[in-house]
mmCIF file of all heavy atoms in Angstrom:
data_model
loop_
_atom_site.group_PDB
_atom_site.id
_atom_site.type_symbol
_atom_site.label_atom_id
_atom_site.label_comp_id
_atom_site.label_asym_id
_atom_site.label_seq_id
_atom_site.Cartn_x
_atom_site.Cartn_y
_atom_site.Cartn_z
ATOM 1 N N LEU V 1 6.654 5.717 1.420
ATOM 2 C CA LEU V 1 8.026 5.369 1.087
ATOM 3 C C LEU V 1 8.379 4.056 1.773
ATOM 4 O O LEU V 1 7.596 3.535 2.575
ATOM 5 C CB LEU V 1 8.972 6.481 1.557
ATOM 6 C CG LEU V 1 8.830 7.808 0.813
ATOM 7 C CD1 LEU V 1 9.483 8.939 1.586
ATOM 8 C CD2 LEU V 1 9.427 7.683 -0.575
ATOM 9 N N SER V 2 9.547 3.543 1.487
ATOM 10 C CA SER V 2 9.994 2.286 2.080
ATOM 11 C C SER V 2 10.281 2.468 3.573
ATOM 12 O O SER V 2 10.836 3.489 3.989
ATOM 13 C CB SER V 2 11.251 1.816 1.355
ATOM 14 O OG SER V 2 11.568 0.508 1.725
ATOM 15 N N LYS V 3 9.899 1.485 4.346
ATOM 16 C CA LYS V 3 10.049 1.513 5.803
ATOM 17 C C LYS V 3 11.527 1.540 6.213
ATOM 18 O O LYS V 3 12.331 0.773 5.690
ATOM 19 C CB LYS V 3 9.363 0.272 6.393
ATOM 20 C CG LYS V 3 9.329 0.213 7.887
ATOM 21 C CD LYS V 3 8.575 -1.027 8.335
ATOM 22 C CE LYS V 3 8.433 -1.101 9.830
ATOM 23 N NZ LYS V 3 7.658 -2.294 10.234
ATOM 24 N N GLY V 4 11.864 2.437 7.148
ATOM 25 C CA GLY V 4 13.200 2.474 7.733
ATOM 26 C C GLY V 4 14.328 2.713 6.758
ATOM 27 O O GLY V 4 15.387 2.105 6.870
ATOM 28 N N SER V 5 14.132 3.601 5.809
ATOM 29 C CA SER V 5 15.154 3.814 4.781
ATOM 30 C C SER V 5 15.909 5.127 4.983
ATOM 31 O O SER V 5 15.446 6.033 5.671
ATOM 32 C CB SER V 5 14.517 3.768 3.395
ATOM 33 O OG SER V 5 13.459 4.676 3.297
ATOM 34 N N SER V 6 17.068 5.210 4.351
ATOM 35 C CA SER V 6 17.898 6.416 4.431
ATOM 36 C C SER V 6 17.256 7.550 3.627
ATOM 37 O O SER V 6 16.401 7.322 2.767
ATOM 38 C CB SER V 6 19.290 6.130 3.861
ATOM 39 O OG SER V 6 19.209 5.921 2.455
ATOM 40 N N ASP V 7 17.703 8.764 3.896
ATOM 41 C CA ASP V 7 17.188 9.920 3.158
ATOM 42 C C ASP V 7 17.483 9.793 1.664
ATOM 43 O O ASP V 7 16.646 10.133 0.834
ATOM 44 C CB ASP V 7 17.787 11.219 3.704
ATOM 45 C CG ASP V 7 17.214 11.601 5.063
ATOM 46 O OD1 ASP V 7 16.156 11.052 5.450
ATOM 47 O OD2 ASP V 7 17.836 12.433 5.748
ATOM 48 N N PHE V 8 18.673 9.278 1.327
ATOM 49 C CA PHE V 8 19.031 9.096 -0.082
ATOM 50 C C PHE V 8 18.063 8.125 -0.757
ATOM 51 O O PHE V 8 17.575 8.383 -1.857
ATOM 52 C CB PHE V 8 20.470 8.585 -0.213
ATOM 53 C CG PHE V 8 20.866 8.286 -1.628
ATOM 54 C CD1 PHE V 8 21.183 9.306 -2.511
ATOM 55 C CD2 PHE V 8 20.898 6.969 -2.093
ATOM 56 C CE1 PHE V 8 21.529 9.028 -3.825
ATOM 57 C CE2 PHE V 8 21.241 6.681 -3.402
ATOM 58 C CZ PHE V 8 21.559 7.714 -4.267
ATOM 59 N N TYR V 9 17.787 7.008 -0.091
ATOM 60 C CA TYR V 9 16.883 6.004 -0.661
ATOM 61 C C TYR V 9 15.464 6.557 -0.776
ATOM 62 O O TYR V 9 14.769 6.278 -1.758
ATOM 63 C CB TYR V 9 16.914 4.732 0.187
ATOM 64 C CG TYR V 9 16.156 3.569 -0.416
ATOM 65 C CD1 TYR V 9 16.439 3.100 -1.691
ATOM 66 C CD2 TYR V 9 15.156 2.923 0.303
ATOM 67 C CE1 TYR V 9 15.753 2.026 -2.239
ATOM 68 C CE2 TYR V 9 14.464 1.845 -0.224
ATOM 69 C CZ TYR V 9 14.766 1.408 -1.494
ATOM 70 O OH TYR V 9 14.085 0.345 -2.029
ATOM 71 N N LYS V 10 15.037 7.344 0.177
ATOM 72 C CA LYS V 10 13.702 7.961 0.095
ATOM 73 C C LYS V 10 13.593 8.814 -1.172
ATOM 74 O O LYS V 10 12.575 8.767 -1.865
ATOM 75 C CB LYS V 10 13.423 8.808 1.336
ATOM 76 C CG LYS V 10 13.180 8.001 2.581
ATOM 77 C CD LYS V 10 13.023 8.908 3.784
ATOM 78 C CE LYS V 10 12.978 8.083 5.056
ATOM 79 N NZ LYS V 10 12.992 8.907 6.258
ATOM 80 N N LYS V 11 14.631 9.584 -1.465
ATOM 81 C CA LYS V 11 14.627 10.411 -2.688
ATOM 82 C C LYS V 11 14.553 9.530 -3.931
ATOM 83 O O LYS V 11 13.822 9.837 -4.877
ATOM 84 C CB LYS V 11 15.867 11.301 -2.752
ATOM 85 C CG LYS V 11 15.825 12.467 -1.809
ATOM 86 C CD LYS V 11 17.077 13.306 -1.942
ATOM 87 C CE LYS V 11 17.096 14.403 -0.889
ATOM 88 N NZ LYS V 11 18.337 15.176 -0.923
ATOM 89 N N GLU V 12 15.322 8.433 -3.924
ATOM 90 C CA GLU V 12 15.317 7.517 -5.069
ATOM 91 C C GLU V 12 13.952 6.854 -5.250
ATOM 92 O O GLU V 12 13.463 6.726 -6.364
ATOM 93 C CB GLU V 12 16.386 6.433 -4.895
ATOM 94 C CG GLU V 12 17.776 6.897 -5.172
ATOM 95 C CD GLU V 12 18.708 5.723 -5.398
ATOM 96 O OE1 GLU V 12 18.541 4.669 -4.772
ATOM 97 O OE2 GLU V 12 19.614 5.877 -6.246
ATOM 98 N N VAL V 13 13.353 6.427 -4.157
ATOM 99 C CA VAL V 13 12.047 5.771 -4.226
ATOM 100 C C VAL V 13 10.984 6.752 -4.706
ATOM 101 O O VAL V 13 10.160 6.413 -5.566
ATOM 102 C CB VAL V 13 11.666 5.138 -2.866
ATOM 103 C CG1 VAL V 13 10.212 4.706 -2.846
ATOM 104 C CG2 VAL V 13 12.582 3.964 -2.551
ATOM 105 N N ARG V 14 11.010 7.961 -4.178
ATOM 106 C CA ARG V 14 10.036 8.977 -4.603
ATOM 107 C C ARG V 14 10.141 9.199 -6.112
ATOM 108 O O ARG V 14 9.135 9.186 -6.830
ATOM 109 C CB ARG V 14 10.273 10.282 -3.837
ATOM 110 C CG ARG V 14 9.231 11.343 -4.130
ATOM 111 C CD ARG V 14 9.391 12.590 -3.254
ATOM 112 N NE ARG V 14 8.818 12.329 -1.932
ATOM 113 C CZ ARG V 14 9.515 12.235 -0.803
ATOM 114 N NH1 ARG V 14 10.828 12.382 -0.821
ATOM 115 N NH2 ARG V 14 8.911 12.002 0.341
ATOM 116 N N ALA V 15 11.360 9.383 -6.604
ATOM 117 C CA ALA V 15 11.568 9.610 -8.044
ATOM 118 C C ALA V 15 11.125 8.391 -8.853
ATOM 119 O O ALA V 15 10.494 8.539 -9.910
ATOM 120 C CB ALA V 15 13.035 9.936 -8.313
ATOM 121 N N THR V 16 11.420 7.191 -8.366
ATOM 122 C CA THR V 16 11.063 5.977 -9.089
ATOM 123 C C THR V 16 9.553 5.792 -9.142
ATOM 124 O O THR V 16 8.999 5.397 -10.179
ATOM 125 C CB THR V 16 11.745 4.745 -8.443
ATOM 126 O OG1 THR V 16 13.162 4.960 -8.444
ATOM 127 C CG2 THR V 16 11.425 3.469 -9.205
ATOM 128 N N LYS V 17 8.868 6.098 -8.049
ATOM 129 C CA LYS V 17 7.403 5.986 -8.043
ATOM 130 C C LYS V 17 6.776 6.990 -9.010
ATOM 131 O O LYS V 17 5.817 6.661 -9.722
ATOM 132 C CB LYS V 17 6.847 6.170 -6.630
ATOM 133 C CG LYS V 17 7.084 4.964 -5.741
ATOM 134 C CD LYS V 17 6.362 5.109 -4.416
ATOM 135 C CE LYS V 17 6.475 3.834 -3.606
ATOM 136 N NZ LYS V 17 5.361 3.679 -2.670
ATOM 137 N N LEU V 18 7.305 8.203 -9.048
ATOM 138 C CA LEU V 18 6.787 9.200 -9.992
ATOM 139 C C LEU V 18 7.032 8.759 -11.437
ATOM 140 O O LEU V 18 6.155 8.898 -12.294
ATOM 141 C CB LEU V 18 7.414 10.568 -9.729
ATOM 142 C CG LEU V 18 7.002 11.252 -8.429
ATOM 143 C CD1 LEU V 18 7.854 12.488 -8.178
ATOM 144 C CD2 LEU V 18 5.512 11.591 -8.431
ATOM 145 N N GLU V 19 8.214 8.209 -11.706
ATOM 146 C CA GLU V 19 8.520 7.694 -13.050
ATOM 147 C C GLU V 19 7.577 6.550 -13.414
ATOM 148 O O GLU V 19 7.111 6.463 -14.552
ATOM 149 C CB GLU V 19 9.970 7.201 -13.116
ATOM 150 C CG GLU V 19 10.998 8.294 -13.110
ATOM 151 C CD GLU V 19 12.423 7.760 -12.962
ATOM 152 O OE1 GLU V 19 12.663 6.561 -13.213
ATOM 153 O OE2 GLU V 19 13.303 8.562 -12.572
ATOM 154 N N TRP V 20 7.295 5.668 -12.444
ATOM 155 C CA TRP V 20 6.403 4.534 -12.677
ATOM 156 C C TRP V 20 5.010 5.036 -13.066
ATOM 157 O O TRP V 20 4.414 4.542 -14.029
ATOM 158 C CB TRP V 20 6.340 3.653 -11.430
ATOM 159 C CG TRP V 20 5.577 2.382 -11.611
ATOM 160 C CD1 TRP V 20 6.086 1.181 -12.012
ATOM 161 C CD2 TRP V 20 4.167 2.169 -11.406
ATOM 162 N NE1 TRP V 20 5.078 0.228 -12.067
ATOM 163 C CE2 TRP V 20 3.897 0.821 -11.703
ATOM 164 C CE3 TRP V 20 3.120 2.981 -11.003
ATOM 165 C CZ2 TRP V 20 2.620 0.270 -11.606
ATOM 166 C CZ3 TRP V 20 1.841 2.446 -10.905
ATOM 167 C CH2 TRP V 20 1.599 1.099 -11.210
ATOM 168 N N LEU V 21 4.499 6.009 -12.334
ATOM 169 C CA LEU V 21 3.178 6.564 -12.659
ATOM 170 C C LEU V 21 3.168 7.157 -14.065
ATOM 171 O O LEU V 21 2.239 6.924 -14.839
ATOM 172 C CB LEU V 21 2.771 7.633 -11.642
ATOM 173 C CG LEU V 21 2.354 7.137 -10.274
ATOM 174 C CD1 LEU V 21 2.280 8.300 -9.285
ATOM 175 C CD2 LEU V 21 1.011 6.407 -10.336
ATOM 176 N N ASN V 22 4.203 7.918 -14.398
ATOM 177 C CA ASN V 22 4.276 8.539 -15.729
ATOM 178 C C ASN V 22 4.429 7.499 -16.834
ATOM 179 O O ASN V 22 3.893 7.675 -17.924
ATOM 180 C CB ASN V 22 5.436 9.539 -15.792
ATOM 181 C CG ASN V 22 5.138 10.801 -15.012
ATOM 182 O OD1 ASN V 22 3.991 11.226 -14.901
ATOM 183 N ND2 ASN V 22 6.167 11.396 -14.456
ATOM 184 N N ASP V 23 5.146 6.417 -16.532
ATOM 185 C CA ASP V 23 5.368 5.365 -17.515
ATOM 186 C C ASP V 23 4.123 4.495 -17.716
ATOM 187 O O ASP V 23 3.734 4.193 -18.842
ATOM 188 C CB ASP V 23 6.551 4.495 -17.078
ATOM 189 C CG ASP V 23 6.830 3.368 -18.054
ATOM 190 O OD1 ASP V 23 6.994 3.650 -19.253
ATOM 191 O OD2 ASP V 23 6.874 2.199 -17.618
ATOM 192 N N LYS V 24 3.509 4.083 -16.629
ATOM 193 C CA LYS V 24 2.372 3.151 -16.699
ATOM 194 C C LYS V 24 1.054 3.852 -17.023
ATOM 195 O O LYS V 24 0.179 3.265 -17.664
ATOM 196 C CB LYS V 24 2.216 2.375 -15.390
ATOM 197 C CG LYS V 24 3.450 1.585 -14.986
ATOM 198 C CD LYS V 24 3.836 0.529 -15.996
ATOM 199 C CE LYS V 24 5.033 -0.271 -15.512
ATOM 200 N NZ LYS V 24 5.585 -1.129 -16.526
ATOM 201 N N PHE V 25 0.893 5.074 -16.571
ATOM 202 C CA PHE V 25 -0.360 5.816 -16.768
ATOM 203 C C PHE V 25 -0.088 7.201 -17.350
ATOM 204 O O PHE V 25 -0.433 8.226 -16.758
ATOM 205 C CB PHE V 25 -1.118 5.942 -15.436
ATOM 206 C CG PHE V 25 -1.400 4.623 -14.780
ATOM 207 C CD1 PHE V 25 -0.710 4.218 -13.653
ATOM 208 C CD2 PHE V 25 -2.367 3.766 -15.296
ATOM 209 C CE1 PHE V 25 -0.963 2.991 -13.049
ATOM 210 C CE2 PHE V 25 -2.634 2.544 -14.709
ATOM 211 C CZ PHE V 25 -1.923 2.151 -13.583
ATOM 212 N N PRO V 26 0.520 7.260 -18.534
ATOM 213 C CA PRO V 26 0.916 8.557 -19.090
ATOM 214 C C PRO V 26 -0.257 9.482 -19.426
ATOM 215 O O PRO V 26 -0.071 10.694 -19.504
ATOM 216 C CB PRO V 26 1.699 8.174 -20.349
ATOM 217 C CG PRO V 26 1.155 6.833 -20.735
ATOM 218 C CD PRO V 26 0.832 6.159 -19.431
ATOM 219 N N GLU V 27 -1.437 8.916 -19.606
ATOM 220 C CA GLU V 27 -2.593 9.734 -19.990
ATOM 221 C C GLU V 27 -3.452 10.152 -18.809
ATOM 222 O O GLU V 27 -4.517 10.741 -19.000
ATOM 223 C CB GLU V 27 -3.419 8.967 -21.018
ATOM 224 C CG GLU V 27 -2.650 8.743 -22.309
ATOM 225 C CD GLU V 27 -3.421 7.920 -23.315
ATOM 226 O OE1 GLU V 27 -4.667 7.941 -23.297
ATOM 227 O OE2 GLU V 27 -2.771 7.245 -24.121
ATOM 228 N N ILE V 28 -2.994 9.857 -17.588
ATOM 229 C CA ILE V 28 -3.729 10.293 -16.396
ATOM 230 C C ILE V 28 -2.936 11.424 -15.757
ATOM 231 O O ILE V 28 -1.751 11.280 -15.474
ATOM 232 C CB ILE V 28 -3.916 9.139 -15.378
ATOM 233 C CG1 ILE V 28 -4.711 7.998 -15.999
ATOM 234 C CG2 ILE V 28 -4.611 9.661 -14.119
ATOM 235 C CD1 ILE V 28 -4.807 6.759 -15.111
ATOM 236 N N LYS V 29 -3.604 12.529 -15.537
ATOM 237 C CA LYS V 29 -2.975 13.677 -14.882
ATOM 238 C C LYS V 29 -3.559 13.790 -13.472
ATOM 239 O O LYS V 29 -4.664 14.296 -13.276
ATOM 240 C CB LYS V 29 -3.220 14.973 -15.671
ATOM 241 C CG LYS V 29 -2.728 14.909 -17.100
ATOM 242 C CD LYS V 29 -1.257 14.602 -17.202
ATOM 243 C CE LYS V 29 -0.806 14.437 -18.640
ATOM 244 N NZ LYS V 29 0.151 13.371 -18.827
ATOM 245 N N PHE V 30 -2.824 13.261 -12.507
ATOM 246 C CA PHE V 30 -3.290 13.294 -11.124
ATOM 247 C C PHE V 30 -3.247 14.720 -10.590
ATOM 248 O O PHE V 30 -2.317 15.468 -10.857
ATOM 249 C CB PHE V 30 -2.439 12.362 -10.262
ATOM 250 C CG PHE V 30 -2.638 10.907 -10.593
ATOM 251 C CD1 PHE V 30 -1.776 10.251 -11.451
ATOM 252 C CD2 PHE V 30 -3.710 10.200 -10.068
ATOM 253 C CE1 PHE V 30 -1.959 8.913 -11.782
ATOM 254 C CE2 PHE V 30 -3.916 8.864 -10.392
ATOM 255 C CZ PHE V 30 -3.033 8.218 -11.247
ATOM 256 N N ASP V 31 -4.282 15.080 -9.835
ATOM 257 C CA ASP V 31 -4.358 16.409 -9.242
ATOM 258 C C ASP V 31 -3.444 16.542 -8.023
ATOM 259 O O ASP V 31 -2.988 17.649 -7.716
ATOM 260 C CB ASP V 31 -5.805 16.711 -8.838
ATOM 261 C CG ASP V 31 -6.730 16.714 -10.039
ATOM 262 O OD1 ASP V 31 -6.656 17.663 -10.835
ATOM 263 O OD2 ASP V 31 -7.514 15.753 -10.192
ATOM 264 N N GLU V 32 -3.230 15.435 -7.333
ATOM 265 C CA GLU V 32 -2.359 15.410 -6.153
ATOM 266 C C GLU V 32 -1.539 14.138 -6.185
ATOM 267 O O GLU V 32 -2.071 13.078 -6.483
ATOM 268 C CB GLU V 32 -3.161 15.327 -4.849
ATOM 269 C CG GLU V 32 -4.124 16.403 -4.544
ATOM 270 C CD GLU V 32 -4.935 16.046 -3.296
ATOM 271 O OE1 GLU V 32 -4.345 15.655 -2.266
ATOM 272 O OE2 GLU V 32 -6.159 16.153 -3.372
ATOM 273 N N ILE V 33 -0.278 14.256 -5.845
ATOM 274 C CA ILE V 33 0.562 13.070 -5.639
ATOM 275 C C ILE V 33 1.364 13.319 -4.366
ATOM 276 O O ILE V 33 2.123 14.294 -4.271
ATOM 277 C CB ILE V 33 1.513 12.802 -6.816
ATOM 278 C CG1 ILE V 33 0.728 12.544 -8.103
ATOM 279 C CG2 ILE V 33 2.424 11.608 -6.487
ATOM 280 C CD1 ILE V 33 1.584 12.353 -9.345
ATOM 281 N N HIS V 34 1.150 12.452 -3.397
ATOM 282 C CA HIS V 34 1.855 12.537 -2.118
ATOM 283 C C HIS V 34 2.582 11.206 -1.907
ATOM 284 O O HIS V 34 1.938 10.166 -1.782
ATOM 285 C CB HIS V 34 0.886 12.756 -0.955
ATOM 286 C CG HIS V 34 -0.026 13.921 -1.149
ATOM 287 N ND1 HIS V 34 0.362 15.217 -0.892
ATOM 288 C CD2 HIS V 34 -1.313 13.993 -1.578
ATOM 289 C CE1 HIS V 34 -0.654 16.041 -1.145
ATOM 290 N NE2 HIS V 34 -1.681 15.315 -1.567
ATOM 291 N N ILE V 35 3.894 11.255 -1.884
ATOM 292 C CA ILE V 35 4.694 10.069 -1.578
ATOM 293 C C ILE V 35 5.392 10.395 -0.269
ATOM 294 O O ILE V 35 6.299 11.231 -0.232
ATOM 295 C CB ILE V 35 5.656 9.723 -2.722
ATOM 296 C CG1 ILE V 35 4.839 9.476 -4.003
ATOM 297 C CG2 ILE V 35 6.495 8.492 -2.370
ATOM 298 C CD1 ILE V 35 5.635 9.303 -5.257
ATOM 299 N N ILE V 36 4.913 9.749 0.783
ATOM 300 C CA ILE V 36 5.204 10.211 2.145
ATOM 301 C C ILE V 36 5.903 9.145 2.989
ATOM 302 O O ILE V 36 5.942 7.977 2.632
ATOM 303 C CB ILE V 36 3.895 10.657 2.833
ATOM 304 C CG1 ILE V 36 2.892 9.502 2.922
ATOM 305 C CG2 ILE V 36 3.295 11.863 2.109
ATOM 306 C CD1 ILE V 36 1.619 9.812 3.706
ATOM 307 N N GLN V 37 6.393 9.600 4.108
ATOM 308 C CA GLN V 37 7.073 8.735 5.076
ATOM 309 C C GLN V 37 6.218 7.516 5.415
ATOM 310 O O GLN V 37 5.013 7.642 5.620
ATOM 311 C CB GLN V 37 7.352 9.555 6.350
ATOM 312 C CG GLN V 37 8.053 8.807 7.444
ATOM 313 C CD GLN V 37 9.478 8.461 7.076
ATOM 314 O OE1 GLN V 37 10.168 9.218 6.418
ATOM 315 N NE2 GLN V 37 9.925 7.286 7.483
ATOM 316 N N TYR V 38 6.848 6.369 5.476
ATOM 317 C CA TYR V 38 6.153 5.136 5.839
ATOM 318 C C TYR V 38 5.474 5.307 7.199
ATOM 319 O O TYR V 38 6.071 5.795 8.149
ATOM 320 C CB TYR V 38 7.146 3.966 5.900
ATOM 321 C CG TYR V 38 6.477 2.649 6.226
ATOM 322 C CD1 TYR V 38 5.994 1.836 5.214
ATOM 323 C CD2 TYR V 38 6.302 2.243 7.541
ATOM 324 C CE1 TYR V 38 5.365 0.637 5.490
ATOM 325 C CE2 TYR V 38 5.671 1.044 7.836
ATOM 326 C CZ TYR V 38 5.203 0.253 6.812
ATOM 327 O OH TYR V 38 4.562 -0.923 7.099
#
């Protein structure tokens, strides 16, 4: 996640990264996705 960010922003970034993966690589089904603290 983004360095030194608020809890609200962490939630937004996590959701945005997941959307990006689904948008850019819709045909790849990842077995694990971990979006974690910087």
